[in-house]
Amino acid sequence: MGLFKRLLAVLLAAGMLVSLAAAAGCAGGKETAPKPQEKVKIGGIFDITGGTGDVGTPYSEGARACVEFLNSKGGINGRQIELIWQDYAYDIKRAKEIYDKLVQQDKVVAILGWGTGDTEALKSIIARDKIPYISGSYSEGLLDINQCPYNFLIAASYSDQARAALKWIKDNWRENRKPRVAFVYNNTPFGTSPIADAKKFAQENGFEVVADEVMELKVLDATTQMLDLKQKKADFAIIQGTSNLAATTLKDAKKVGVTTRFIGLNWAADEKVIQLAGEAAEGYIGVIPFCFPGEDVPAMADIEAWLTRNNKSLKDINQKFVQGWMAVLVLAEGIKNAGDNLTGEGVRQGLEQLNNFSPGGLGAPLTFTATSHRGTEQVRLAEVKNGKFVYVTDWFSYKQ
């Protein structure tokens, strides 16, 4: 009987082990072991080869680099980020096609967009689809919360940037007459976005608006416009364009002897302007909503770490790279706040929790609420001195 009892005990123990294994590993033939968390899918609509590719390319590189960096640190709430992106070559129709694919086929929860024309063309569809959309456009036309409940601006709007530049001029004007101001821009939704608001602010604040100089984004010769500016005797001219347009303007202004002081809004002010314009860039002022590479802010260490891992240095990037990096950080914070509610509505609510949020110091602190996605009105101004942008103001807004 002793032997029988021992055999019975062994058989019972084996049976229990088999039952436990079955319970842990199988249920009706299906695996029940914990699965890795699914990836967070976000979309990207970038301009690499189109009219704004001069600034769009480094912006997209910064965005993609930041995704790679975040993934190397564990992603967002333990989920890896999958950035699905395409070059739309600054073509609004193509942007719509890419958007449809991202939403309908790829099932992204949010999108990094780009231009003013395409973002404004998509805004009603974005609202319908409930897709949080952080664009490279800072158009005032995207701030009506009723029409654009899913669009978020991570920098001062173009109109606020222009107002800030005009306020700086007014505060520093010493002549006993009205300052004469002109506007240099391209005839696209991006180029014209802030012009009416800026003119209204100028007229309300004692400026004389003397000229509109309109040119193509990829302009190679601005001599005609600069001769007109010279004849109109503009004291200042505000540029709404990209690096290439700004550089051509500065070079041809110097060539024909224009004494106008130029101030470029965000996309018209970066290191590339100096590279292209050379000595003609001296004295140029930029409205700067984002940090330059190498500034002493916390997130710059992360950028440098990524660069080192990829055999690069700060010399290989410019401010627009930083801008793209920051766009991803802002979106990532919204996704983080959404937790397991990884829907467009959940990410929107996550973004609306950002209160005085400074993404590693790369830009002005941002605040989003359920009634305002403006983010900030603050900018800094920097002047080109000895071939480098040097800040001439701290963060401020035109209301201060």
Side-chain angles (χ1 to χ4, degrees):
M1 291 296 293
L3 178 61
F4 175 75
K5 287 181 179 179
R6 286 197 296 272
L7 288 171
L8 182 60
V10 170
L11 289 171
L12 287 171
M16 288 177 67
L17 288 171
V18 171
S19 298
L20 288 170
C26 298
K30 293 182 180 179
E31 178 114 9
T32 59
K35 294 181 179 179
Q37 288 184 304
E38 293 183 358
K39 291 182 177 181
V40 180
K41 290 185 178 181
I42 62 175
I45 302 175
F46 300 136
D47 182 16
I48 310 297
T49 59
T52 59
D54 53 334
V55 290
T57 297
Y59 180 93
S60 71
E61 290 171 348
R64 286 179 280 151
C66 188
V67 168
E68 183 182 313
F69 177 81
L70 292 177
N71 281 338
S72 74
K73 297 296 182 180
I76 305 172
N77 294 337
R79 296 180 175 92
Q80 292 285 286
I81 311 161
E82 182 179 357
L83 174 61
I84 305 166
W85 69 276
Q86 289 190 53
D87 170 21
Y88 82 114
Y90 212 56
D91 183 319
I92 294 176
K93 181 181 177 182
R94 180 64 180 142
K96 175 63 166 60
E97 293 170 352
I98 296 171
Y99 172 89
D100 287 342
K101 177 184 177 296
L102 290 171
V103 174
Q104 296 168 16
Q105 296 181 32
D106 299 315
K107 307 297 182 184
V108 299
V109 299
I111 292 176
L112 299 168
W114 182 244
T116 298
D118 39 281
T119 304
E120 291 187 340
L122 286 167
K123 65 185 182 183
S124 62
I125 303 172
I126 292 167
R128 179 199 68 192
D129 294 338
K130 298 182 177 180
I131 299 294
Y133 206 90
I134 293 179
S135 176
S137 169
Y138 312 122
S139 170
E140 193 87 5
L142 299 171
L143 287 171
D144 184 331
I145 200 71
N146 295 313
Q147 293 186 24
C148 310
Y150 284 82
N151 291 88
F152 292 81
L153 268 63
I154 66 166
S157 73
Y158 297 138
S159 296
D160 286 346
Q161 291 180 35
R163 293 181 186 114
L166 290 165
K167 181 184 186 301
W168 180 83
I169 294 171
K170 180 182 177 182
D171 290 349
N172 290 277
W173 185 248
R174 298 291 180 264
E175 299 289 332
N176 190 27
R177 60 174 176 82
K178 290 182 177 182
R180 292 184 289 267
V181 65
F183 295 91
V184 178
Y185 57 95
N186 60 289
N187 191 23
T188 65
F190 158 60
T192 60
S193 173
I195 303 304
D197 288 338
K199 286 182 178 179
K200 182 174 183 290
F201 185 85
Q203 290 163 352
E204 291 172 347
N205 284 272
F207 288 79
E208 182 183 353
V209 178
V210 297
D212 290 82
E213 306 299 347
V214 183
M215 57 191 77
E216 297 296 322
L217 272 170
K218 291 187 174 183
V219 62
L220 298 176
D221 189 333
T223 304
T224 300
Q225 291 90 341
M226 293 305 99
L227 285 171
D228 183 67
L229 202 62
K230 184 177 182 180
Q231 191 270 327
K232 299 288 178 56
K233 298 181 179 179
D235 299 300
F236 294 89
I238 292 177
I239 301 177
Q240 169 70 340
T242 63
S243 307
N244 289 340
L245 183 151
T248 299
T249 297
L250 294 174
K251 286 190 294 185
D252 287 347
K254 184 177 178 63
K255 180 178 67 177
V256 300
V258 171
T259 58
T260 300
R261 194 87 182 270
F262 292 92
I263 303 178
L265 305 188
N266 172 67
W267 296 110
D270 63 8
E271 303 90 330
K272 189 170 184 180
V273 175
I274 302 172
Q275 293 166 4
L276 294 174
E279 290 184 0
E282 286 296 307
Y284 181 54
I285 295 173
V287 178
I288 311 295
F290 303 93
C291 287
F292 289 101
E295 286 193 41
D296 186 16
V297 297
M300 201 60 66
D302 294 338
I303 293 176
E304 290 190 74
W306 180 88
L307 290 167
T308 299
R309 279 206 307 271
N310 288 273
N311 299 314
K312 296 182 179 181
S313 71
L314 290 170
K315 294 179 180 180
D316 296 311
I317 64 171
N318 71 3
Q319 191 214 34
K320 303 318 174 197
F321 180 102
V322 174
Q323 201 162 330
W325 185 287
M326 177 171 151
V328 172
L329 289 184
V330 175
L331 179 55
E333 191 70 11
I335 294 171
K336 176 184 174 183
N337 291 340
D340 291 331
N341 187 13
L342 286 179
T343 63
E345 193 166 358
V347 175
R348 172 192 168 178
Q349 292 171 357
L351 286 165
E352 288 172 350
Q353 293 177 39
L354 302 190
N355 183 16
N356 205 34
F357 172 67
S358 179
L362 296 179
L366 302 171
T367 297
F368 298 125
T369 68
T371 58
S372 175
H373 293 171
R374 185 177 290 272
T376 183
E377 295 170 341
Q378 293 191 318
V379 299
R380 289 182 290 182
L381 267 59
E383 180 182 353
V384 178
K385 297 180 180 180
N386 298 318
K388 292 183 68 175
F389 274 107
V390 178
Y391 288 112
V392 294
T393 75
D394 200 348
W395 293 104
F396 77 103
S397 83
Y398 73 95
K399 293 179 179 178
Q400 294 172 323

